[in-house]
Amino acid sequence: MSELMKTPLNAAHRALNAKMVDFGGWDMPVQYPAGILAEHEAVRTKAGLFDVSHMGEIRVKGPGALALVEHLTPNAVSKLVIGQVHYTAFLYENGTFVDDLLVYREGEEEFLLVVNAGNSDKDFAWVQKHAGAYDCTVVNESPVTGQIALQGPLSVSILQPLTKTPLDPIGYYFFTHGEVAGVKCIISRTGYTGEDGFELYCAAGDTERLWNAVMAAGTPLGLLPAGLGCRNTLRLECKMALYGHEIDDSIHALEAGLGWIVKLDKGDFIGRDALLAAKAAPAPRKLVGFKTLEKRDIARDHMPVVQGGKQIGFVTSAAPSPTCGINLGLAYVPTDLAKTGNRIEIEIRGRAVPAEIIPTPFYKRTK
């Protein structure tokens, strides 16, 4: 059995008495002593601090960098200004997902691609495979990069005293470079919780110093360290896709409800022909949100959606929602059943329990 990989904050998590789990080969905190519900509430009402150093970072630089990233992803990279970020994906030729990712435009000829931890090696190989025809360098910076995410309505109040960089002018999905607590960082106004907040990228060796400084500044205001458990309920409430759940190599971008990242008019990219064909035909299935109708019925990831004793779909993610106070989830169902208000059934421990299709996202913060 191979040893789990560790982020630069592994010792810090253990010092905080975090419950550690194997997360895709990484030794990561799922929760701290306060518990998942308290961490979830802290992010929605005050702030939470996440270790996301396991994510992958790939830098693409050179005269051919823009053309390569345009070829690899369906979103319109050329429309990004320097200092802007967007959400996009790597797609196979059939329009299904290699992975989803963020693209940071660092310069006219320089991009930082931030990919999922579990797919990092696959993604780097994918970029390298296609880079040969373009005049650019591709470097995997994952091993030398640390990343933490400060999320919640008090994020600016906590972070601003630690940096001379004005935070208020940084727009949502924009970034800048600066120092936080004396540590050189990318300061990015992004996140995976639906709340205001920042993702800070730094040298791996500086990560613990940065983490401790933010914790010290935020704890008096109610900041809690936050683990994978509450990250999942937070992102689910906001209908943010997770690879291996809402998206994978069997689901294409349009049926996943991610047509907004697919710019078919931008020119050629990997997967474009398949998505053009998919757009011309009715999708056989659709990703919907649902709630179970009885409080005792709690659906879980990958449970079957059934009708008349036969499976007609599957749950991608599900959990009790701390913010909404109901048991909710996301599921792929036949398109003709996907209308809001329709009833479906989820098979939970051998019982077909009733559920109702409801609008998504389940939660959206007030700005």
Side-chain angles (χ1 to χ4, degrees), residues 213-232:
V214 177
M215 281 301 304
T219 298
L221 298 179
L223 171 71
L224 288 179
L228 295 170
C230 81
R231 187 191 73 150
N232 192 50

Side-chain angles (χ1 to χ4, degrees), residues 104-124:
Y104 286 68
R105 187 157 201 172
E106 290 268 29
E108 290 294 339
E109 299 179 348
E110 184 174 354
F111 298 87
L112 183 67
L113 315 180
V114 181
V115 302
N116 285 305
N119 292 332
S120 182
D121 290 342
K122 177 182 70 172
D123 292 337
F124 182 57

Side-chain angles (χ1 to χ4, degrees), residues 91-111:
L91 303 176
Y92 291 109
E93 293 287 355
N94 65 0
T96 65
F97 289 86
V98 180
D99 199 6
D100 61 344
L101 68 148
L102 295 180
V103 173
Y104 286 68
R105 187 157 201 172
E106 290 268 29
E108 290 294 339
E109 299 179 348
E110 184 174 354
F111 298 87

Side-chain angles (χ1 to χ4, degrees), residues 48-193:
L49 189 62
F50 299 82
D51 177 12
V52 278
S53 300
H54 57 316
M55 299 291 281
E57 291 83 16
I58 302 167
R59 190 170 298 276
V60 183
K61 187 175 182 180
L66 172 61
L68 172 61
V69 182
E70 285 281 31
H71 177 63
L72 288 173
T73 63
N75 211 336
V77 188
S78 63
K79 292 188 177 179
L80 286 175
V81 300
I82 296 171
Q84 191 175 11
V85 188
H86 74 196
Y87 177 72
T88 187
F90 294 142
L91 303 176
Y92 291 109
E93 293 287 355
N94 65 0
T96 65
F97 289 86
V98 180
D99 199 6
D100 61 344
L101 68 148
L102 295 180
V103 173
Y104 286 68
R105 187 157 201 172
E106 290 268 29
E108 290 294 339
E109 299 179 348
E110 184 174 354
F111 298 87
L112 183 67
L113 315 180
V114 181
V115 302
N116 285 305
N119 292 332
S120 182
D121 290 342
K122 177 182 70 172
D123 292 337
F124 182 57
W126 181 256
V127 177
Q128 280 191 310
K129 175 183 175 182
H130 294 279
Y134 299 86
D135 182 12
C136 61
T137 59
V138 178
V139 178
N140 184 1
E141 296 186 348
S142 309
V144 297
T145 305
Q147 185 188 353
I148 63 175
L150 174 64
Q151 298 282 292
L154 299 186
S155 294
V156 172
S157 300
I158 293 168
L159 198 60
Q160 188 61 80
L162 298 175
T163 180
K164 294 179 180 177
T165 301
L167 298 178
D168 281 335
I170 303 174
Y172 190 51
Y173 270 68
F174 282 82
F175 69 98
T176 189
H177 290 258
E179 288 193 359
V180 177
V183 174
K184 290 183 179 180
C185 294
I186 294 175
I187 304 171
S188 174
R189 202 158 196 167
T190 47
Y192 193 53
T193 64

Side-chain angles (χ1 to χ4, degrees), residues 209-249:
R209 181 156 62 104
L210 183 64
W211 169 277
N212 288 337
V214 177
M215 281 301 304
T219 298
L221 298 179
L223 171 71
L224 288 179
L228 295 170
C230 81
R231 187 191 73 150
N232 192 50
T233 52
L234 290 160
R235 71 95 191 163
L236 172 59
E237 289 179 346
C238 301
K239 200 191 177 187
M240 293 180 170
L242 177 62
Y243 191 89
H245 293 253
E246 285 72 43
I247 57 175
D248 62 26
D249 60 5

